């Protein structure tokens, strides 16, 4: 049991393309937990801001937009998540190159993060959740019973993301993806408010040379040992 949440809260942090979402939803399914993708919440706000022509450098405008936006995460088959914004399903639009290029800017503002963190803590209050992002183990849910920090080489993360976007039908180059990931990593780790960071009590897993099943198996064994 944790101060701010019920029993069974697992945090999964790490940089872009490390494999967080893929393994976190598999882990949640194996444990019968709810999977909460906090990155999808920031992506949803960036998508709405792009759609409504809001200046992505205007913190007040973005904070006001968020205060007038509902973002709901619903479980979907295979542990996936449907993202509903103001009642509309936007899931399939959250990983476009435009959103990828904008989300870290939107997520960098303290007033945006403060509201997002408040909503994320509310989502975790009942416990039995696996929550992934950049600041979960260090800031959003510091009392989580189990914390993981996934990483991988820039090359591996770039190749994975490039293959993923190509499969989704986007016309992207490995070089452009590498640059986007490097830029997003810099923004995510250098922001003053709740930056990308590894919690001191997190288990570090470098997935560069690991298969998805191997990563999930290792995390599941640790969770079952820690949670009993
Ligand atoms: N261990 C792995 N080996 C090979 N491919 C992987 C591995 N883990 C994840 N992938 C693939 O890499 C891509 C990115 O994975 P995923 O979206 O889970 O990363 P992420 O850390 O959540 O990234 P982001 O934070 O940008 O959402 C996906 O296509 C996924 O299938
Ligand atoms: N807890 C979080 C989660 C995400 N972000 C920002 O959103 C971007 C997209 O996240 P993905 O996991 O979907 O790639 C990410 O690069 C961060 O800029 C965040 O700030 N905090």
């Amino acid at each position: 049991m944790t101060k701010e949440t019920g029993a069974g809260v697992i945090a999964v942090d790490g940089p872009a393309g490390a494999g967080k979402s893929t393994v976190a939803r598999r882990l949640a399914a194996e444990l019968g937990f709810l999977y909460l993708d906090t990155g999808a919440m920031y992506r949803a706000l960036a998508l709405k801001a792009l759609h409504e022509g809001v200046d992505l450098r205007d913190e007040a405008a973005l904070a006001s937009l968020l205060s007038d936006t509902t973002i709901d995460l619903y479980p979907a088959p295979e542990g996936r998540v449907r993202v509903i914004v103001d009642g509309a399903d936007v899931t399939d639009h959250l990983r476009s190159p435009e959103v990828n290029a904008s989300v870290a800017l939107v997520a960098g503002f303290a007033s945006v993060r403060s509201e997002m963190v408040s909503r994320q803590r509310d989502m975790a209050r009942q416990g039995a959740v696996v929550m992934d992002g950049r600041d979960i183990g260090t800031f959003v849910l510091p009392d989580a019973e189990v914390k993981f920090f996934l990483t991988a080489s820039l090359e591996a993360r770039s190749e994975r993301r490039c293959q993923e976007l190509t499969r989704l039908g986007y016309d992207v180059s490995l070089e452009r993806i590498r640059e986007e990931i490097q830029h997003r990593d810099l923004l995510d780790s250098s922001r003053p408010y709740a930056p990308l960071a590894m919690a001191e009590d997190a288990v570090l897993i470098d997935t560069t040379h690991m298969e998805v099943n191997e990563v999930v198996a290792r995390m599941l064994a640790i969770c079952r040992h820690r949670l009993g």
Side-chain angles (χ1 to χ4, degrees), residues 44-56 58-71 85-86 106 112 115 119:
L45 179 61
L47 179 69
K48 183 172 179 180
L50 288 166
H51 184 259
E52 300 202 357
V54 172
D55 183 347
L56 301 184
D58 186 337
E59 177 171 3
L62 289 167
S64 172
L65 184 70
L66 179 55
S67 68
D68 194 29
T69 301
T70 60
I71 303 172
V85 173
D86 302 332
V106 169
V112 168
E115 171 60 19
R119 297 188 189 191

Side-chain angles (χ1 to χ4, degrees), residues 14-23 25 35 37 39 43 95 100 132-134 150 156-157 160-161 163-165 167 184 207-213 215:
K20 298 181 298 304
S21 306
T22 301
V23 299
R25 63 172 171 256
Y35 166 52
D37 180 355
R43 288 174 179 275
R95 291 195 168 275
N100 278 345
D132 78 333
R134 301 296 187 281
L150 267 57
R157 293 186 286 130
R160 291 171 183 176
R161 183 53 30 86
Q163 290 169 18
E164 177 187 46
L165 290 175
R167 280 199 306 272
R184 198 141 66 92
T207 69
T208 304
H209 303 294
M210 295 176 72
E211 297 296 325
V212 172
N213 290 338
V215 177

